[in-house]
């Protein structure tokens, strides 16, 4: 890494689960020589979390007031990793300070709120990225690569089933995820907004939808959502999203059908693979190693063009997806190039989420055109 390259000086707010995942990714990206960056400050209102993160990630400047972190002269770029109800004020403050920003998903509790944040960041002309991280999953990137390189024919239908153990305990242990005034909702907005984004990324804008949601746990947030979406290009996609109480790995099961081809993706911590089958050819199973090469290529690296440490950083389990997304976003800020997923993508996903909640309430099809 040459010294002429601009140093990326970033500050991060929220040293919980996902904040630490990004901090781990930043250090790994720096250690691997992929980015010349400094974590110049971190902020949390939980002082124990703040101090332990400062030690773990070797950060000198700590703040309990996010305004101070954003205003600090060494903060050039801001990561927002707090619970969802905190995003809005922090995004506005970073935009007011004219600092590029990354905000975790969901951006807000509703599409109008997300639209306001989009407008604020557009007005401030600051790059604004969102943590819709599945776009950096090696298998979804591989699926895009397949579609670009083979004739799958017209898109017909897709299905995603997303299941997770209710995240008030288990891996997240975050009581706020059961609280509507903080999380904004349950399995649909908090987790499956990722799947909505993926379906829109592959199948285009949604023309209309209907949905049903359930509240089996008796909490304020839904633990089941099923949606049928008609896309403007004619494809129909369905999403089933559930938070249950079974001790099993979180899993996503994905099936895309085209007139002349099929793509299936199984995402589960223990076993991850992609199957595809093109008309007239046998089925093919793709394991992470193969998909990783395509992900690295999409990030601008030729095969064998990276050290093993750098490849591992961008693709390994743990920081996987997040390191790739952080790399792509930070590079885009450095090079002043476009990045997605951005706040436009987040707003579009929020419009679909809002429409699904409205459809479930009204028991009707909702028009999104
Ligand atoms: N992209 C993804 O895959 C992904 C994964 C997990 C979480 N998330 C999102 O990231 C966000 C955070 O989730 P989490 O699991 O890390 O939550 P968490 O509870 O583990 O961490 C949130 C942290 O923010 C801190 N915080 C709260 N209010 C604050 C304030 N005003 N100022 C500074 N710090 C404050 C808390 O003390 C806590 O340490 C949520 O919006 C969540 O949906 C995204």
């Amino acid at each position: 890494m040459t010294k002429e390259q601009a140093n990326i000086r970033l500050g991060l707010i929220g040293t919980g689960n996902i904040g630490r995942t990004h901090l781990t990714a930043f250090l790994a990206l720096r250690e691997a020589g992929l980015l010349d960056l400094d974590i110049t400050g971190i902020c949390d209102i939980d002082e124990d979390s703040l101090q332990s993160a400062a030690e773990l990630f070797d950060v000198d400047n700590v703040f309990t007031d996010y305004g101070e972190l954003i205003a600090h002269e060494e903060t050039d770029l801001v990561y927002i990793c707090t619970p969802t109800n905190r995003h809005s004020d922090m995004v506005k403050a970073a935009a007011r300070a004219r600092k590029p920003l990354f905000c975790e998903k969901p951006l807000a509790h509703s599409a109008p709120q997300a639209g306001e944040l989009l407008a604020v960041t557009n007005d401030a002309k600051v790059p604004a990225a969102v943590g819709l991280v599945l776009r950096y999953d090696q298998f979804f990137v591989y699926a895009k690569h397949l579609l670009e390189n083979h004739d799958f024919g017209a898109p017909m239908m897709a299905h995603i089933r997303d299941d997770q153990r209710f995240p008030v305990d288990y891996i997240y242990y975050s009581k706020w995820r059961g609280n509507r005034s903080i999380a904004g909702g349950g399995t649909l907005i908090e987790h499956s907004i990722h799947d909505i984004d993926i379906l829109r990324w592959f199948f285009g804008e949604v023309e209309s939808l209907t949905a049903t949601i359930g509240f089996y746990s008796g909490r304020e947030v839904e633990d089941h959502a099923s949606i049928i979406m008609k896309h403007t290009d004619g494809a129909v996609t369905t999403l089933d999203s559930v938070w249950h109480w079974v001790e099993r790995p979180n899993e996503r099961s994905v099936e895309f059908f085209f007139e002349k081809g099929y793509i299936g993706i199984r995402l589960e911590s223990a076993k991850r693979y992609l199957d595809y089958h093109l008309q007239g050819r046998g089925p093919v199973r793709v394991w992470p190693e193969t998909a990783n090469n395509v992900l690295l290529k999409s990030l601008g690296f030729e095969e064998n063009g990276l050290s093993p440490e750098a490849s591992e950083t961008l693709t390994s389990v743990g920081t996987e997806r997040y390191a790739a997304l952080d790399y792509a976003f930070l590079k885009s800020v450095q090079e002043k190039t476009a990045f997605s997923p951005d706040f436009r993508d987040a707003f579009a996903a929020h419009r679909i989420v809002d429409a699904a909640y409205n459809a479930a309430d009204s028991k009707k099809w909702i028009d999104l055109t």
Side-chain angles (χ1 to χ4, degrees):
M1 191 75 38
T2 57
K3 261 295 155 209
E4 299 86 65
Q5 224 164 345
N7 212 16
I8 302 163
R9 302 186 306 172
L10 55 86
L12 178 140
I13 313 169
T15 57
N17 267 309
I18 204 67
R20 284 168 190 247
T21 303
H22 288 292
L23 290 167
T24 305
F26 299 149
L27 288 193
L29 289 167
R30 187 175 68 192
E31 291 299 306
L34 285 160
L35 287 176
D36 180 16
L37 65 81
D38 282 334
I39 306 165
T40 44
I42 51 175
C43 166
D44 204 295
I45 47 171
D46 176 337
E47 297 206 23
D48 290 341
S49 174
L50 184 61
Q51 289 309 331
S52 76
E55 277 167 38
L56 195 59
F57 299 100
D58 194 20
V59 184
D60 294 334
N61 298 327
V62 294
F63 305 87
T64 50
D65 177 339
Y66 72 85
E68 287 177 17
L69 174 132
I70 291 172
H72 197 271
E73 57 177 12
E74 287 177 19
T75 308
D76 292 337
L77 185 147
V78 182
Y79 263 68
I80 298 165
C81 301
T82 50
T84 310
N85 65 328
R86 300 282 173 214
H87 293 173
S88 177
D89 290 346
M90 294 172 180
V91 166
K92 288 178 187 169
R96 266 198 308 275
R98 298 274 193 277
K99 300 199 174 173
L101 62 108
F102 171 97
C103 183
E104 265 306 342
K105 53 45 64 182
L107 206 49
H109 284 183
S110 70
Q113 287 172 13
E116 190 194 352
L117 299 183
L118 171 62
V120 164
T121 51
N122 277 347
D123 288 349
K125 297 189 173 47
V126 286
V130 70
L132 291 166
V133 70
L134 283 188
R135 290 194 189 207
Y136 287 85
D137 181 278
Q138 66 268 66
F139 290 116
F140 285 115
V141 174
Y142 196 86
K144 278 276 177 190
H145 160 82
L146 284 173
L147 293 170
E148 279 158 19
N149 289 286
H150 299 280
D151 180 13
F152 276 73
M156 296 175 75
M157 70 102 159
H159 177 239
I160 298 184
R161 187 263 294 156
D162 170 33
D163 85 90
Q164 195 181 30
R165 185 165 161 168
F166 211 119
V168 290
D169 61 9
Y170 193 45
I171 56 166
Y172 287 129
Y173 198 78
S174 54
K175 293 291 172 219
W176 65 262
R177 281 183 169 83
N179 183 334
R180 189 182 190 80
S181 67
I182 301 179
T187 189
L188 176 55
I189 189 167
E190 165 49 29
H191 205 233
S192 281
I193 196 162
H194 285 297
D195 305 293
I196 299 271
D197 178 58
I198 285 295
L199 290 171
R200 182 179 161 264
W201 192 36
F202 278 89
F203 297 94
E205 299 304 335
V206 173
E207 185 181 278
S208 60
L209 63 76
T210 192
T212 182
I213 61 175
F215 296 82
Y216 292 82
S217 80
R219 285 178 167 74
E220 298 169 333
V221 299
E222 80 283 357
D223 45 15
H224 163 245
S226 290
I227 312 178
I228 306 176
M229 290 170 270
K230 287 187 192 163
H231 295 254
T232 46
D233 68 355
V236 173
T237 66
T238 56
L239 167 66
D240 291 311
S241 174
V242 65
W243 279 351
H244 52 70
W245 299 94
V246 188
E247 302 83 354
R248 50 176 266 114
N250 297 339
E251 193 174 60
R252 276 194 171 88
S253 175
V254 178
E255 290 190 302
F256 294 168
F257 283 90
F258 301 83
E259 270 186 309
K260 295 191 275 181
Y262 162 86
I263 299 174
I265 299 176
R266 194 88 168 175
L267 296 184
E268 180 236 287
S269 46
K271 203 190 252 181
R272 299 157 55 78
Y273 56 84
L274 176 150
D275 287 329
Y276 70 96
H277 194 149
L278 278 157
Q279 185 186 57
R281 303 199 210 171
V284 180
R285 176 155 295 182
V286 176
W287 294 103
E289 303 73 53
T290 306
N292 284 346
N293 288 331
V294 171
L295 171 66
L296 293 175
K297 205 158 183 198
S298 78
L299 294 172
F301 300 105
E302 287 309 317
E303 215 169 320
N304 304 322
L306 275 177
S307 67
E309 188 195 3
S311 303
E312 171 81 5
T313 295
L314 292 167
T315 59
S316 72
V317 174
T319 52
E320 69 168 350
R321 300 175 182 160
Y322 300 98
L325 176 144
D326 290 335
Y327 172 80
F329 172 56
L330 295 173
K331 200 83 184 154
S332 77
V333 174
Q334 253 188 342
E335 295 178 350
K336 298 192 177 5
T337 51
F339 174 84
S340 59
D342 63 7
F343 276 25
R344 278 171 307 178
D345 299 305
F347 175 54
H350 273 287
R351 279 192 73 226
I352 297 169
V353 167
D354 277 17
Y357 285 133
N358 289 341
D361 278 352
S362 63
K363 299 188 171 48
K364 289 194 172 132
W365 278 85
I366 304 289
D367 191 349
L368 278 127
T369 51

